[in-house]
Amino acid sequence: MLTVAVTGATGAQGGATARALLTAGHRVRALTRRPDAPAAHALRGLGADVRHADFDDPASLDAALAGADSLFAVTTPFGTDIATETRQGAALVDAAAAARLGHVVFTSAAHADRGTGVPHYESKHAIEQHLRAAGVPWTVIAPAAFMDNYASGWTLDGLRDGTFAWPMPTDCPLTLIPAADIGAFAALVLQRRDEFAGRRIDIASDELTPGRIAEALGVATGRPIAHQEVPLAYVRSRSEDLAAMFAYFATEGLDVDVAGLRRDYPEVGWHTFADWAAAQDWPALLS
């Protein structure tokens, strides 16, 4: 039985990882800045040890990591900025090294090590480099585009009008993964440290074009859905970072060996996009 500290435990990736580890019988320290949040209470109900931790408070990190075996680390620039993400990620890695943890699994982004020029990919790559130099056993898992984003934000707004509004050409393939599969794969990596230490792995569970995504969403929601390509200029007017990401998706592409992952790690229980879409509560989401 491992004791695993999980950052971002009240978020999508950290929460999925915490649940997968608890299901497998491990002890989870769910680290969060908001231990009284509903998501934190839900994790307590599942058996997690919820602890306050703040990337900008070294003492809180030291206390939260003391005596743990491993760490699942997730960072984000959204709500802050990429400079803050990089600084906080480095602080977390340094705390893990000081605690002499046996394994750090950092979740980055697929292709972040390829010089994409996408700001929030570059910040994650900087943290990856810091982790490699920290002297602690490490693994980097790098998810493709999140399926979960298709049930929120501007996508959900468009679906209410029968439109899958997405800033990519209709026939351009994109690799995708739901948070549940990220958590399942992270838990697998944490339980098999010797196999995965020192490796960086891009992960995805399906590959679809926006046209096919629209079709799958139509089936899941029970209403006609058509893809509409959102101009990059529109995205750029709201976020240069996201515009750079979608430009990369449409030109270089986000290839990940989905078939190889399914073959080599069937225990993850990889979900297709259709699987994920069928499991969403669309009547509530679209109301």
Side-chain angles (χ1 to χ4, degrees):
M1 183 186 293
L2 297 171
T3 298
V4 183
V6 177
T7 63
T10 57
Q13 295 189 68
T17 300
R19 289 188 293 274
L21 287 165
L22 288 166
T23 298
H26 299 286
R27 290 182 291 261
V28 169
R29 288 186 190 170
L31 310 190
T32 176
R33 289 176 300 170
R34 300 183 301 145
D36 292 328
H41 287 301
L43 286 171
R44 281 194 191 92
L46 294 174
D49 175 12
V50 177
R51 301 196 182 189
H52 174 263
D54 189 322
F55 293 163
D56 291 320
D57 179 359
S60 74
L61 290 179
D62 292 342
L65 297 178
D69 298 305
S70 309
L71 168 69
F72 174 79
V74 60
T75 61
T76 179
F78 302 112
T80 56
D81 53 56
I82 60 171
T84 300
E85 179 187 21
T86 303
R87 174 175 53 77
Q88 291 180 337
L92 180 59
V93 167
D94 291 343
R100 298 186 178 182
L101 297 190
H103 194 197
V104 175
V105 175
F106 174 62
T107 179
S108 178
H111 290 211
D113 60 338
R114 302 192 190 187
T116 63
V118 178
H120 74 277
Y121 283 29
E122 297 299 325
S123 55
K124 286 179 172 55
H125 187 229
I127 298 167
E128 290 183 35
Q129 292 175 306
H130 192 83
L131 176 58
R132 288 170 183 254
V136 61
W138 60 270
T139 305
V140 172
I141 64 172
F146 296 162
M147 293 182 190
D148 307 79
N149 288 342
Y150 293 75
S152 63
W154 80 53
T155 303
L156 197 57
D157 293 338
L159 293 180
R160 293 190 179 99
D161 297 324
T163 301
F164 171 52
W166 203 247
M168 288 178 62
T170 297
D171 59 354
C172 185
L174 179 66
T175 49
L176 303 157
I177 189 167
D181 289 1
I182 300 171
F185 189 75
L188 178 73
V189 169
L190 285 157
Q191 293 172 96
R192 288 157 55 174
R193 181 186 70 179
D194 292 347
E195 177 182 346
F196 288 100
R199 295 176 61 188
R200 185 191 191 283
I201 308 169
D202 286 346
I203 58 173
S205 57
D206 204 354
E207 182 177 48
L208 290 175
T209 64
R212 294 291 300 279
I213 290 170
E215 292 175 11
L217 289 171
V219 171
T221 61
R223 59 177 70 187
I225 302 290
H227 171 244
Q228 179 181 26
E229 184 174 354
V230 177
L232 273 181
Y234 175 86
V235 181
R236 190 171 292 111
S237 70
R238 286 152 177 77
S239 171
E240 291 280 355
D241 193 338
L242 291 180
M245 181 185 72
F246 283 114
Y248 183 84
F249 288 172
T251 54
E252 300 299 322
L254 198 63
D255 65 291
V256 178
D257 185 7
V258 173
L261 289 164
R262 286 180 171 274
R263 179 192 65 238
D264 294 341
Y265 310 109
E267 56 269 72
V268 170
W270 306 98
H271 293 80
T272 65
F273 184 78
D275 293 335
W276 171 84
Q280 307 309 303
D281 186 357
W282 294 110
L285 289 167
L286 295 171
S287 62

